[in-house]
Amino acid sequence: MLKIALGQIEVIPGRPDLNTGRMLSMIAEARKEQADMIIFPEMSIPGYLLGDIWEQQAYLRDCEAFGREVISAAQHICVIFGNVAINWEKRGDDGRVRKHNACFIAQNGRLIGTRIKTLHPNYREFDDTRHFFSLRKLALERKQDIETLLEPVKVIIKGEEYNLGCIICEDGWNDDYSVDPIAALTADGRSDLLINISSSPFTLGKNNKRNRVFSKQAQEAGIPLIYVNNTGLQNNGKTVYTFDGFSTVYNSNGQIIAYCQPFTEKLEYIQLDIAAGGQSLGPVNVPDDFTIDSLHQCISYGVKKFLQAINMNKVVIGVSGGIDSAVCAALYASILNPADILLVNMPSRFNSQTTKDLSYQLAQNLGCLYTVMPIEQSVEHTAAQISDARITDLSSGRQNKLAVSSFVLENIQARDRSSRLLAGIAAAFGGGFTCNANKSELTVGYSTLYGDQAGFLAALADLWKHQVYQLAQYLNTSIFRREVIPQATIDLVPSAELSFDQSVDEGKGDPIMYAYHDYLYRAFMEYWNRTTPEDILAWYSQGSELLEQKLGCAPGLVDKLFPGPRQFVEDLERWWRLYTGMGVAKRIQAPPVLAVSRRAYGFDHREAQNSVYFTQEYIKLKNRLLSETLG
Amino acid sequence: MLKIALGQIEVIPGRPDLNTGRMLSMIAEARKEQADMIIFPEMSIPGYLLGDIWEQQAYLRDCEAFGREVISAAQHICVIFGNVAINWEKRGDDGRVRKHNACFIAQNGRLIGTRIKTLHPNYREFDDTRHFFSLRKLALERKQDIETLLEPVKVIIKGEEYNLGCIICEDGWNDDYSVDPIAALTADGRSDLLINISSSPFTLGKNNKRNRVFSKQAQEAGIPLIYVNNTGLQNNGKTVYTFDGFSTVYNSNGQIIAYCQPFTEKLEYIQLDIAAGGQSLGPVNVPDDFTIDSLHQCISYGVKKFLQAINMNKVVIGVSGGIDSAVCAALYASILNPADILLVNMPSRFNSQTTKDLSYQLAQNLGCLYTVMPIEQSVEHTAAQISDARITDLSSGRQNKLAVSSFVLENIQARDRSSRLLAGIAAAFGGGFTCNANKSELTVGYSTLYGDQAGFLAALADLWKHQVYQLAQYLNTSIFRREVIPQATIDLVPSAELSFDQSVDEGKGDPIMYAYHDYLYRAFMEYWNRTTPEDILAWYSQGSELLEQKLGCAPGLVDKLFPGPRQFVEDLERWWRLYTGMGVAKRIQAPPVLAVSRRAYGFDHREAQNSVYFTQEYIKLKNRLLSETLG
């Protein structure tokens, strides 16, 4: 029977000093509790998402030194942790010193084993292949089988020998690889216990899948499996990821016998009878993580940790009376002191009394700081200054003037609010201002650059509009337990209110029909095999039901929205053009996005400012469809 | 004797239709000229930097179809081209359909060979490992030697058999890999000719190195080598790369016997006596590409192609009288019609008569459109609106006001110019406005977000300040051949003129001392093994001469600038904090940067918004140095 401590620490990326400090105190505590072994996550010393800091040799030496401290502290306890392993004699493919993403096993103050990661993910947000040399590459270099290179680590605890099959994160997700590290480590009963140290970002629903996959692994190997993941927040600039921890122990039947509370730094103990496969412990229930609770937990944790990370404790939020800014305000109000939140309503002549009142009501419900700063005067000044200015052609001496169209004026208003007012107010208030954009807007660039797209963090920008509404209901019902977001805001037609054509009182609003477009955009953006107009049109041409089923939107919607193929095609092309055209240009300059879904904008949605393109098959299909309609 | 056509086409990324069209017409032309073979670059059909478009199966099918068209066109000529090769039966590591970066060889309307890329770069801006399955992975999967999988393609031309050693780009840059594709292909005289198809972005000085490396390869193999690269512009969102083409033929002595003009779409012919190793042709001189000519050519080509790509033909440039905006204006004036360039001077009370006059003089010299729009009134309005607004605490009913400090006012001015005026003017003018930032500013975030950091493209943001001055001189001397950028602008102290503390007339200006900091920042940012304060302080502690030598700045500078270690350390930490702190936050929202150097900001400078960090060794070194000074 071994007493094993799961060191689910909050890893601060780029702070090996702080991480090592917390690891040392957890080791001391576990030792006091007479634990036999303590396990920390992947890259627990350096952090995982560090950008190109891996190219700094000084940082590598620093992490090595901290690693030695942890190894020295492994007294009367076996310590397993993640760190970068450096082979100073060899080079990586980039010619820099060779680095491995590694698992270290220490005992009696000495290193007794190092295992390097075999499978390096290079999809989604993962960037292992850029920095680290995998066991796959090593096998090729040495002309050896990977299976030969993979072997368990032997440790002796209380006189008993245990063979630990140590793997790192992706090694446990080998479905699409030609190599199976777990099979290699567990063949012929070579291992007594599987240990997977991970640094695995939260995405909605991922733990449900992880529990299915890892349960099966434990069961197939017939030995227990311990998964240890970190908590905290890490980012790669454009995208901010939360780490939920949710460390879990599976017995040899594949049952979950223990887990750590998600999104909580935790030192958890388990008494594991390894010889009996941990079967003496009964199964426990783990929370489903494809729920609005999970989504809210991720966003709330993410915003809190991001504010801590950038040392910000005051925010300014532009509130329009609409749903996005209201949800943003309520979210921040559930995290910060209301006196540190300043809500600003900035009406122009196009804003209805309805939305002005709703802004005030929201602020009252939350008890925040509130002010109203109209933009009418400044927008008029800007429009006049631009249209009155004399433009001189210095080659001919001719003078001319510029005209400010109503479309130009719409964007002037949006920038006036954000870049002129909110940015100035935030600086004077000593904080930052939020970006309230949602994922639907960001997909098609339905926002103004340096206007409503600006801010220090886009906390809702990985939520489709319908998810923003779900979150609004959840905040009222489950977090505040009262109507902080006015029901009228939830019921209001979504509108930018930048012209009289967008009057909410007349029920006019956004050109985006969220009930359908949310799902269309999601198919463009989130599907593993990305959907294009060719796919959409092929489905549509086989019947609206098929399309609705493929997109996951409400049945009957498509024919209701589009009288015929001509209108359908027009709509499809309009949004595809925006998604792959102006949307890209705007996203390049967008704020960091807090990730919730399987694919958020930023590093995991690589895109170039290239031409809008329709495939040849699309064009054929469209021509056929439209000529049939005419015929 | 073979007549070989080098199809140095301009590849438009994401436009297989246009690329195929140009390839087909070049094939037709080469056939008319009785060429025996035509060679196109890597990924000549789909383009190379496409972000995640590779995840769209419709796009893949489209590229396959265009590939078939090119193969069919290979009549009476052997056609070699780059395209994506898809194995619809197999999966990549990401579970998506397996894709290879491949070279296709076609003859008599049929495909006679496909060769896939062995080495996949994952450093710098390259992203091959994310999307493509390499020959290295294939070898591992099949448990075969790479050397066995690599074999020349046999073609019969005019009754003679030729063995073509076809490789793709990185395969020719194998220095740091354990695999050498060229050695494998040329062992025992297996190949008669090496063909390297590439899609290789320009960086200053790269061709000099390429010529050394490839000359040696041809010489060692004892056979000729043909390198074909594309021209055009491709980007990955944050960073914009030019492709110079510069296709080159080396004979078996390693001599360059032909090349295509860089940055020019070209169909070039060479008569190559393969049996004689191409030695009948004498060496030709190629231009050195580590020069200001090259730098200017890259930037000028890049800006021109970027404007074409985004379909923009009018620009607005904010001109301050300073060097960056003047160089930007002159650059655009060398590309666009002066009547399509609107220069706007936006003075506040802090702007000197000197710089106002210099702005006008610049505009006159260039014969552009010009206007002056003062920002005094709007800035005052904004400051008053913010400081007059009553902020109500809705939980207590208390009212408060905000104070606008002089620092807050500086940034209000910068945003007023860009987000309020330039963005509005550009929209009214029907164009975009430029970002005039240089690399030194961008490194330490010495600019205002949504202010002078904004714009549709940052054309100078990969040039250190001293390179901006070099470009200024070059534009006057070699492009315009007259003083378009006023000499007084070149002589002026660089200043933001956002307060009276930055008065140019009093010789006050930026806190950045470019003669030293340009080189310090470059060491942080560009060096292959990234320099940190630990390295800098270690060099400094061994003597200022060593430091100056390592940084490449002028000798004697360090001791002149810093009376002692305390001042040196203070300066070092100040800029490191900004580079790794606020600079990161600002760069996340920066415009696309046009790349010139070996490392530009953006995709090849991955960074996270993490804590500022100093290694333990740095702290020890600093404490020792400062205590010695005190002692």
Side-chain angles (χ1 to χ4, degrees):
Chain A
M1 185 75 77
L2 290 187
K3 183 171 184 179
I4 299 177
L6 313 186
Q8 177 170 297
I9 64 164
E10 178 182 341
V11 171
I12 316 266
R15 292 305 301 265
D17 52 340
L18 302 181
N19 297 331
T20 302
R22 273 204 316 292
M23 287 164 71
L24 293 177
S25 63
M26 277 196 183
I27 292 170
E29 196 185 319
R31 190 189 300 118
K32 217 163 58 190
E33 297 291 328
Q34 300 191 298
D36 300 300
M37 184 188 289
I38 182 166
I39 307 171
F40 293 105
E42 179 183 16
M43 290 295 186
S44 48
I45 289 180
Y48 187 38
L49 302 183
L50 298 182
D52 288 340
I53 286 184
W54 303 111
E55 297 172 6
Q56 298 170 4
Q57 298 204 351
Y59 190 77
L60 299 178
R61 290 191 299 267
D62 207 52
C63 293
E64 260 189 339
F66 282 115
R68 285 191 295 268
E69 280 190 46
V70 173
I71 291 166
S72 302
Q75 304 287 356
H76 310 294
I77 186 165
C78 173
V79 177
I80 298 179
F81 65 98
N83 196 6
V84 55
I86 304 133
N87 186 339
W88 295 98
E89 309 299 318
K90 296 265 186 182
R91 286 173 169 222
D93 289 348
D94 59 0
R96 296 188 180 93
V97 65
R98 187 177 290 181
K99 298 166 285 290
H100 305 285
N101 181 340
C103 176
F104 290 79
I105 302 94
Q107 216 183 14
N108 303 319
R110 284 178 30 241
L111 183 65
I112 59 168
T114 312
R115 291 296 177 269
I116 70 172
K117 197 170 178 175
T118 303
L119 304 178
H120 280 183
N122 193 199
Y123 50 84
R124 296 194 60 213
E125 66 275 16
F126 302 109
D127 216 8
D128 287 45
T129 52
R130 181 173 173 93
H131 305 292
F132 306 115
F133 205 80
S134 69
L135 199 73
R136 283 210 283 179
K137 283 187 185 164
L138 206 62
L140 201 64
E141 185 182 76
R142 295 194 183 165
K143 299 190 187 275
Q144 279 185 297
D145 275 352
I146 286 180
E147 290 72 14
T148 322
L149 290 173
L150 278 165
E151 51 173 355
V153 179
K154 273 190 209 318
V155 295
I156 296 171
I157 299 174
K158 296 187 291 197
E160 292 279 332
E161 186 180 283
Y162 296 94
N163 291 290
L164 310 179
C166 296
I167 56 173
I168 304 176
C169 204
E170 184 78 354
D171 294 337
W173 298 88
N174 73 306
D175 264 8
D176 298 312
Y177 294 88
S178 58
V179 178
D180 183 347
I182 293 182
L185 280 169
T186 58
D188 311 319
R190 293 171 79 199
S191 293
D192 305 307
L193 173 65
L194 279 168
I195 296 174
N196 183 329
I197 63 169
S198 288
S199 182
S200 186
F202 173 86
T203 52
L204 204 56
K206 189 190 201 176
N207 285 302
N208 293 349
K209 182 172 179 193
R210 194 245 308 152
N211 284 326
R212 283 196 306 276
V213 172
F214 286 16
S215 282
K216 194 156 159 265
Q217 286 168 0
Q219 200 181 5
E220 284 179 358
I223 53 174
L225 187 161
I226 300 178
Y227 162 79
V228 179
N229 186 27
N230 60 286
T231 63
L233 188 87
Q234 305 198 25
N235 71 88
N236 50 34
K238 271 294 190 193
T239 325
V240 177
Y241 295 93
T242 61
F243 290 72
D244 59 336
F246 212 151
S247 305
T248 307
V249 184
Y250 309 82
N251 70 14
S252 58
N253 287 334
Q255 292 166 325
I256 294 174
I257 51 176
Y259 74 94
C260 299
Q261 207 56 45
F263 295 112
T264 315
E265 185 171 72
K266 209 78 211 268
L267 180 59
E268 192 92 35
Y269 300 94
I270 181 164
Q271 292 280 0
L272 196 63
D273 184 351
I274 292 181
Q279 295 191 21
S280 54
L281 294 170
V284 296
N285 284 325
V286 293
D288 177 2
D289 87 334
F290 197 69
T291 61
I292 181 77
D293 297 79
S294 261
L295 183 150
H296 169 262
Q297 209 175 2
C298 160
I299 294 189
S300 166
Y301 183 82
V303 169
K304 198 188 314 182
K305 290 291 168 188
F306 190 77
L307 290 170
Q308 278 175 15
I310 64 170
N311 213 3
M312 188 182 282
N313 41 40
K314 287 171 140 195
V315 297
V316 173
I317 306 177
V319 288
S320 64
I323 187 75
D324 301 308
S325 57
V327 170
C328 221
L331 182 70
Y332 279 90
S334 72
I335 293 163
L336 292 174
N337 187 336
D340 291 327
I341 301 173
L342 171 53
L343 305 187
V344 188
N345 182 242
M346 296 163 289
S348 75
R349 86 187 95 143
F350 302 119
N351 293 86
S352 62
Q353 196 56 48
T354 311
T355 53
K356 286 188 267 193
D357 290 346
L358 285 172
S359 297
Y360 180 67
Q361 200 185 317
L362 170 77
Q364 264 195 323
N365 294 349
L366 296 172
C368 295
L369 305 185
Y370 186 71
T371 192
V372 177
M373 299 199 195
I375 61 163
E376 204 52 44
Q377 197 185 335
S378 56
V379 166
E380 257 173 45
H381 171 72
T382 300
Q385 192 175 14
I386 294 175
S387 51
D388 292 349
R390 285 175 313 181
I391 312 290
T392 310
D393 182 334
L394 289 177
S395 66
S396 68
R398 268 192 294 263
Q399 293 203 335
N400 232 312
K401 289 201 169 185
L402 294 171
V404 174
S405 69
S406 66
F407 177 71
V408 170
L409 200 65
E410 286 187 22
N411 289 311
I412 287 177
Q413 292 170 64
R415 287 188 297 265
D416 199 80
R417 289 194 175 107
S418 295
S419 284
R420 190 182 67 86
L421 275 181
L422 290 179
I425 296 167
F429 188 56
F433 70 100
T434 65
C435 171
N436 308 334
N438 59 58
K439 196 168 187 173
S440 315
E441 281 170 27
L442 201 59
T443 298
V444 290
Y446 187 65
S447 60
T448 302
L449 198 54
Y450 320 131
D452 48 328
Q453 199 199 255
F456 75 95
L457 174 70
L460 306 179
D462 198 24
L463 300 187
W464 300 106
K465 189 80 169 186
H466 66 271
Q467 293 177 300
V468 175
Y469 283 103
Q470 286 167 8
L471 186 57
Q473 295 286 13
Y474 183 84
L475 284 164
N476 280 355
T477 315
S478 303
I479 302 301
F480 288 92
R481 296 169 193 275
R482 61 192 167 86
E483 190 184 303
V484 291
I485 298 167
Q487 188 58 42
T489 287
I490 297 174
D491 297 337
L492 197 72
V493 56
S495 169
E497 289 193 300
L498 291 170
S499 73
F500 287 124
D501 292 338
Q502 301 166 343
S503 158
V504 291
D505 289 336
E506 297 171 35
K508 297 172 181 168
D510 294 350
I512 307 176
M513 300 171 289
Y514 297 101
Y516 167 69
H517 288 128
D518 265 7
Y519 300 88
L520 177 70
Y521 302 167
R522 190 180 64 175
F524 288 163
M525 192 282 178
E526 281 186 12
Y527 283 17
W528 200 245
N529 287 314
R530 309 278 290 279
T531 303
T532 64
E534 181 183 319
D535 309 294
I536 301 285
L537 207 56
W539 294 330
Y540 175 76
S541 70
Q542 291 171 63
S544 317
E545 303 72 27
L546 178 67
L547 175 65
E548 285 152 357
Q549 192 190 315
K550 291 281 188 184
L551 297 183
C553 68
L557 196 57
V558 170
D559 288 338
K560 206 154 65 187
L561 292 176
F562 308 107
R566 189 161 300 277
Q567 293 81 359
F568 181 83
V569 160
E570 211 170 86
D571 178 84
L572 178 61
E573 294 191 358
R574 172 187 186 177
W575 300 115
W576 179 254
R577 281 178 201 286
L578 285 168
Y579 167 56
T580 62
M582 191 51 82
V584 182
K586 289 183 180 176
R587 283 190 291 272
I588 291 170
Q589 302 192 44
V593 169
L594 180 60
V596 180
S597 76
R598 209 177 180 200
R599 189 194 317 255
Y601 281 108
F603 194 63
D604 184 32
H605 183 264
R606 304 211 184 150
E607 53 186 346
Q609 238 182 120
N610 290 339
S611 290
V612 172
Y613 184 66
F614 295 94
T615 58
Q616 303 304 296
E617 273 307 311
Y618 171 80
I619 293 167
K620 276 187 223 160
L621 198 55
K622 166 183 157 183
N623 290 343
R624 207 171 60 220
L625 206 64
L626 295 187
S627 66
E628 278 168 9
T629 315
L630 286 177
Chain B
M1 184 76 75
L2 290 187
K3 183 171 183 178
I4 300 176
L6 312 187
Q8 176 171 298
I9 65 163
E10 178 181 340
V11 172
I12 317 267
R15 292 307 300 265
D17 53 340
L18 302 181
N19 296 330
T20 302
R22 273 203 317 292
M23 285 164 71
L24 293 177
S25 63
M26 277 196 183
I27 292 170
E29 194 184 320
R31 190 189 301 117
K32 217 163 55 191
E33 296 292 327
Q34 301 193 298
D36 301 300
M37 183 188 291
I38 181 166
I39 307 171
F40 293 105
E42 179 183 16
M43 290 295 185
S44 47
I45 289 180
Y48 187 38
L49 302 183
L50 299 182
D52 288 341
I53 286 183
W54 303 111
E55 297 172 6
Q56 298 171 2
Q57 297 203 352
Y59 191 77
L60 299 178
R61 290 190 298 268
D62 206 53
C63 292
E64 260 190 338
F66 282 115
R68 285 191 295 267
E69 281 190 45
V70 173
I71 291 167
S72 303
Q75 304 286 358
H76 310 294
I77 187 166
C78 173
V79 178
I80 298 178
F81 65 98
N83 196 6
V84 56
I86 304 133
N87 186 340
W88 295 97
E89 310 300 318
K90 296 265 185 182
R91 287 173 169 222
D93 289 346
D94 59 359
R96 297 188 179 93
V97 65
R98 188 176 290 180
K99 299 166 283 289
H100 305 284
N101 181 340
C103 177
F104 290 80
I105 302 94
Q107 216 182 14
N108 303 318
R110 285 181 27 244
L111 182 65
I112 58 167
T114 311
R115 291 296 177 268
I116 70 172
K117 197 170 177 175
T118 304
L119 305 178
H120 279 184
N122 194 199
Y123 50 84
R124 296 194 60 213
E125 66 275 16
F126 302 109
D127 217 9
D128 287 45
T129 54
R130 181 173 173 94
H131 305 293
F132 307 114
F133 204 81
S134 69
L135 199 73
R136 284 210 283 179
K137 284 187 185 164
L138 206 62
L140 200 64
E141 184 181 77
R142 297 193 182 165
K143 298 190 187 278
Q144 279 185 299
D145 275 352
I146 287 180
E147 289 72 14
T148 322
L149 291 173
L150 278 165
E151 52 174 357
V153 179
K154 272 190 209 317
V155 295
I156 296 171
I157 299 174
K158 297 188 289 199
E160 292 278 331
E161 184 180 284
Y162 296 94
N163 291 290
L164 309 180
C166 296
I167 56 172
I168 305 176
C169 205
E170 185 78 353
D171 294 336
W173 298 87
N174 72 307
D175 264 8
D176 298 311
Y177 295 87
S178 58
V179 179
D180 183 348
I182 293 183
L185 281 169
T186 58
D188 310 320
R190 294 170 78 199
S191 295
D192 304 308
L193 172 67
L194 279 168
I195 296 174
N196 182 330
I197 63 168
S198 288
S199 182
S200 186
F202 173 84
T203 50
L204 204 57
K206 189 189 201 176
N207 285 303
N208 293 350
K209 182 172 179 192
R210 194 247 306 153
N211 284 328
R212 283 196 306 275
V213 172
F214 286 16
S215 282
K216 194 155 158 266
Q217 287 168 0
Q219 199 180 7
E220 284 179 357
I223 53 175
L225 187 163
I226 300 179
Y227 162 80
V228 179
N229 186 28
N230 61 285
T231 63
L233 189 86
Q234 305 198 25
N235 71 88
N236 50 35
K238 271 296 190 191
T239 325
V240 178
Y241 295 93
T242 60
F243 290 71
D244 58 336
F246 211 152
S247 305
T248 307
V249 184
Y250 309 82
N251 70 15
S252 58
N253 287 334
Q255 291 166 325
I256 294 174
I257 52 177
Y259 74 94
C260 299
Q261 207 57 43
F263 295 111
T264 315
E265 184 170 73
K266 209 78 210 268
L267 181 59
E268 193 91 36
Y269 300 94
I270 181 164
Q271 293 279 0
L272 195 63
D273 184 352
I274 292 180
Q279 295 191 21
S280 56
L281 294 171
V284 296
N285 283 326
V286 292
D288 177 2
D289 86 335
F290 197 69
T291 61
I292 182 78
D293 296 79
S294 261
L295 183 151
H296 169 262
Q297 210 175 1
C298 161
I299 293 189
S300 167
Y301 183 82
V303 169
K304 197 188 315 181
K305 290 291 167 187
F306 191 77
L307 290 170
Q308 277 175 16
I310 65 170
N311 214 3
M312 188 181 282
N313 40 40
K314 287 171 139 195
V315 296
V316 173
I317 304 176
V319 288
S320 64
I323 186 76
D324 300 309
S325 57
V327 170
C328 220
L331 183 69
Y332 280 89
S334 72
I335 293 165
L336 293 174
N337 186 337
D340 291 327
I341 301 173
L342 170 55
L343 306 187
V344 188
N345 183 241
M346 296 163 288
S348 75
R349 86 188 96 145
F350 302 120
N351 293 84
S352 62
Q353 197 55 47
T354 310
T355 53
K356 286 189 268 194
D357 290 346
L358 285 172
S359 298
Y360 181 67
Q361 200 185 318
L362 170 77
Q364 263 196 322
N365 294 349
L366 296 173
C368 295
L369 305 185
Y370 186 70
T371 191
V372 177
M373 299 199 196
I375 60 165
E376 203 53 42
Q377 198 185 332
S378 57
V379 165
E380 257 173 44
H381 171 72
T382 300
Q385 193 175 15
I386 294 174
S387 52
D388 291 349
R390 284 174 315 180
I391 312 291
T392 311
D393 182 333
L394 289 177
S395 65
S396 67
R398 266 192 295 264
Q399 293 203 334
N400 231 313
K401 290 199 169 186
L402 294 170
V404 175
S405 68
S406 65
F407 177 70
V408 170
L409 200 66
E410 286 186 22
N411 289 312
I412 287 177
Q413 292 170 65
R415 287 188 297 265
D416 199 80
R417 289 193 175 108
S418 295
S419 285
R420 190 182 67 86
L421 277 181
L422 290 179
I425 296 166
F429 188 58
F433 70 100
T434 65
C435 170
N436 308 334
N438 60 57
K439 196 169 188 174
S440 314
E441 280 170 28
L442 200 59
T443 299
V444 291
Y446 187 65
S447 60
T448 302
L449 199 54
Y450 319 132
D452 48 328
Q453 200 199 255
F456 75 94
L457 175 70
L460 306 180
D462 198 24
L463 301 187
W464 301 106
K465 190 81 169 186
H466 66 271
Q467 292 177 299
V468 175
Y469 283 102
Q470 286 166 9
L471 186 57
Q473 295 287 10
Y474 183 84
L475 284 164
N476 280 356
T477 315
S478 303
I479 301 301
F480 289 91
R481 296 169 193 274
R482 60 193 168 89
E483 189 184 304
V484 291
I485 298 167
Q487 188 59 40
T489 287
I490 297 174
D491 297 337
L492 198 72
V493 55
S495 169
E497 288 193 301
L498 291 170
S499 73
F500 287 124
D501 292 338
Q502 300 167 343
S503 158
V504 291
D505 288 335
E506 297 171 36
K508 296 172 182 170
D510 294 350
I512 306 176
M513 299 172 288
Y514 297 100
Y516 167 68
H517 288 129
D518 265 8
Y519 300 87
L520 177 71
Y521 301 167
R522 189 179 66 175
F524 289 163
M525 192 280 178
E526 282 186 10
Y527 283 17
W528 200 245
N529 288 313
R530 309 279 289 279
T531 304
T532 65
E534 181 183 320
D535 308 293
I536 301 285
L537 206 58
W539 294 330
Y540 175 76
S541 70
Q542 291 170 64
S544 319
E545 304 71 28
L546 178 67
L547 175 65
E548 286 152 358
Q549 193 190 313
K550 291 280 188 183
L551 297 184
C553 69
L557 196 58
V558 170
D559 288 338
K560 206 153 68 189
L561 292 175
F562 309 107
R566 189 161 298 278
Q567 294 81 1
F568 181 83
V569 161
E570 211 171 86
D571 178 85
L572 179 61
E573 294 191 358
R574 172 187 186 177
W575 299 115
W576 180 254
R577 282 180 199 285
L578 286 168
Y579 166 55
T580 63
M582 192 50 83
V584 181
K586 290 183 179 175
R587 283 190 292 270
I588 290 170
Q589 302 191 46
V593 168
L594 179 60
V596 181
S597 75
R598 208 178 178 198
R599 186 191 321 252
Y601 280 108
F603 195 64
D604 184 32
H605 183 265
R606 304 209 185 151
E607 53 186 347
Q609 227 175 314
N610 289 340
S611 289
V612 172
Y613 184 64
F614 295 95
T615 59
Q616 304 304 295
E617 274 307 312
Y618 170 79
I619 293 167
K620 276 187 223 160
L621 197 57
K622 167 183 155 183
N623 290 342
R624 206 170 61 220
L625 206 64
L626 295 187
S627 66
E628 276 168 9
T629 316
L630 286 175

